[in-house]
Amino acid sequence: MEGNSQYNNPVKATLTGITNLFKSKERVGELKESDRLDGKKVLITGSSSGLGLASAKQLASLGAEVIMAVRSGIPEKGEEVKKASGSEKIQMLYVDLLDFNSIKDLVEQVKGKIGPLDVVICNAGIVAGKARKTKDGLEEMFMVNYVSSFYFLRLLLAQNLIKKNDPASRIVIVDSESHRDPKAFNWDDFGKFKEHKIGQTVSLYGYYKLLLVTFAHELSRRLNDEQTTVSVFSLCPGPVNSNIAREAPAIFQPLLKLVFSLFFRSPEKAAEPVLYMSASADLNNKSWDYMFLMERKNVDPKATEQANGVKLWNLSNELITSLGYPIGD
Ligand SMILES: NC(=O)c1ccc[n+]([C@@H]2O[C@H](COP(=O)([O-])OP(=O)(O)OC[C@H]3O[C@@H](n4cnc5c(N)ncnc54)[C@H](OP(=O)(O)O)[C@@H]3O)[C@@H](O)[C@H]2O)c1
């Protein structure tokens, strides 16, 4: 998991992010005026802050009924979204993605209050200052950045709460270019709690983003074998001036705030690929796509190798079953 050294410490990761911003070239396209989300139900996690909050505002402006699945900011962030978009079609549902029971409860709330979703955006993510255990004994970053999305999406799909066979239904997963950093999967350690301090955090973050994008690709393969039933897309928004570095040591905070505000993109601007992947008719019926900013890219080859996707799927199933949260296939 040491990586190829572009993202394996916070300073290199920041510099790589900024350099990549300037390297990005060919745009996949633009949202058109006709790309509206009127009548569509769009759920987005982590929409109390940063990229998720900015995306929620713009999704609402495109006419979507936006379901903000959050653990903080109820109701004030929802009011902020209403004010910014002029839309009243905003609902807020509580979820703590560190807790399987809370995710299960979110799915029950979707079932009871919302009904089948057109677009689900898994956006929440953390960079933890140090290793912490969830009540199930998992490492928090592993749970929020990977396992929670696996569990949430699988539960939604098992209960038919994501529309299928509609050319515009989508699952959009917010990943990171840092998924390219790990050299290999470490299957032997899968799910095992690992101590880490801020120095190793960025490497682990990249590793969990590799797991996430590998799952996204495998999910697409399973859902869209012969024809597209639900599009599965993933993206990296590039460096975003958000609260993602909130757990960095206090001594670095002023410097990070300065670098973020000078070189990173505003959440409003960074939301462009989230909006495009959620609403563009150009992507109707497409089964799989990955974008960095507005550029189409291939993900790391490890993530698209079928043997890795299958292995990850099986290990994730075994893990959640062993913890007492089986989904069943
Ligand atoms: N910022 C970047 O440069 C960058 C670059 C590439 C990819 N990304 C990805 O972009 C996504 C959004 O991050 P951001 O930059 O917008 O960071 P952010 O401002 O820190 O937002 C993260 C969001 O995730 C939520 N979240 C964290 N833990 C949660 C939990 N246990 N349960 C429910 N929600 C939880 C946070 O909720 P609370 O506010 O309640 O904690 C917050 O709404 C992440 O997936 C991140 O990995 C960011």
Side-chain angles (χ1 to χ4, degrees):
M1 217 180 303
E2 268 102 56
N4 64 23
S5 83
Q6 282 193 306
Y7 291 91
N8 62 3
N9 76 48
V11 177
K12 281 190 202 165
T14 305
L15 290 175
T16 304
I18 295 170
T19 317
N20 283 348
L21 258 187
F22 295 105
K23 276 198 213 144
S24 172
K25 306 176 267 312
E26 222 176 296
R27 291 176 64 88
V28 292
E30 310 289 332
L31 267 192
K32 304 184 179 76
E33 261 180 53
S34 54
D35 290 325
R36 299 276 311 167
L37 289 167
D38 305 287
K40 305 273 184 205
K41 295 176 182 177
V42 180
L43 180 146
I44 176 164
T45 66
S47 40
S48 55
S49 171
L51 184 70
L53 177 61
S55 301
K57 291 174 184 170
Q58 296 179 48
L59 291 162
S61 297
L62 289 179
E65 176 181 339
V66 178
I67 299 101
M68 299 169 69
V70 293
R71 70 165 169 184
S72 69
I74 301 174
E76 64 277 11
K77 294 297 174 182
E79 294 306 315
E80 197 179 316
V81 173
K82 285 183 188 170
K83 201 165 161 209
S85 62
S87 167
E88 285 296 314
K89 292 179 291 176
I90 312 300
Q91 303 218 40
M92 300 193 85
L93 301 180
Y94 175 81
V95 66
D96 182 353
L97 297 169
L98 290 169
D99 180 351
F100 288 102
N101 284 321
S102 180
I103 299 171
K104 246 203 263 185
D105 188 53
L106 171 63
V107 173
E108 285 308 307
Q109 292 187 68
V110 171
K111 193 174 175 182
K113 297 183 188 163
I114 314 286
L117 301 162
D118 296 275
V119 181
V120 179
I121 306 168
C122 292
N123 160 75
I126 55 169
V127 179
K130 60 176 183 178
R132 288 184 296 262
K133 261 186 196 165
T134 68
K135 63 179 190 185
D136 294 292
L138 301 180
E139 203 267 302
E140 281 193 5
M141 231 176 17
F142 175 64
M143 179 68 190
V144 176
N145 292 2
Y146 168 60
V147 182
S148 63
S149 295
F150 178 85
Y151 188 62
F152 180 47
L153 291 171
R154 297 281 321 283
L155 277 185
L156 285 174
L157 288 162
Q159 302 211 35
N160 292 320
L161 290 170
I162 303 180
K163 281 190 193 157
K164 285 193 176 152
N165 302 316
D166 176 328
S169 65
R170 279 136 202 223
I171 292 168
V172 178
I173 295 184
V174 179
D175 208 86
S176 164
E177 279 289 282
S178 63
H179 82 268
R180 300 182 194 282
D181 201 40
K183 284 190 185 127
F185 289 97
N186 186 354
W187 300 126
D188 292 343
D189 276 359
F190 186 81
K192 289 192 188 133
F193 181 80
K194 293 180 199 69
E195 283 298 343
H196 66 87
K197 299 215 172 67
I198 193 75
Q200 299 106 41
T201 295
V202 181
S203 289
L204 268 180
Y205 170 85
Y207 186 66
Y208 298 142
K209 289 293 190 185
L210 173 64
L211 296 184
L212 184 64
V213 80
T214 304
F215 159 60
H217 189 268
E218 177 64 14
L219 182 65
S220 170
R221 195 180 66 76
R222 289 177 185 237
L223 286 172
N224 306 316
D225 188 14
E226 283 172 6
Q227 59 181 49
T228 305
T229 59
V230 185
S231 304
V232 183
F233 301 146
S234 185
L235 66 96
C236 171
V240 189
N241 183 10
S242 68
N243 292 312
I244 194 85
R246 61 179 98 175
E247 291 194 41
I251 191 169
F252 296 128
Q253 287 289 350
L255 178 64
L256 280 173
K257 284 207 168 85
L258 182 69
V259 172
F260 273 40
S261 64
L262 285 177
F263 298 109
F264 282 25
R265 299 194 316 157
S266 70
E268 289 68 28
K269 206 164 175 216
E272 192 180 8
V274 180
L275 270 286
Y276 185 79
M277 289 195 141
S278 302
S280 173
D282 292 347
L283 300 182
N284 280 0
N285 270 325
K286 195 163 201 260
S287 55
W288 165 254
D289 209 351
Y290 175 81
M291 280 163 54
F292 164 61
L293 307 170
M294 289 298 287
E295 179 187 0
R296 178 163 289 128
K297 276 193 160 187
N298 291 325
V299 292
D300 185 277
K302 287 190 289 299
T304 51
E305 217 172 281
Q306 193 173 327
N308 291 330
V310 171
K311 178 99 184 164
L312 178 63
W313 188 276
N314 292 341
L315 284 176
S316 306
N317 260 347
E318 283 164 25
L319 179 70
I320 57 177
T321 303
S322 72
L323 293 171
Y325 307 100
I327 298 169
D329 271 316

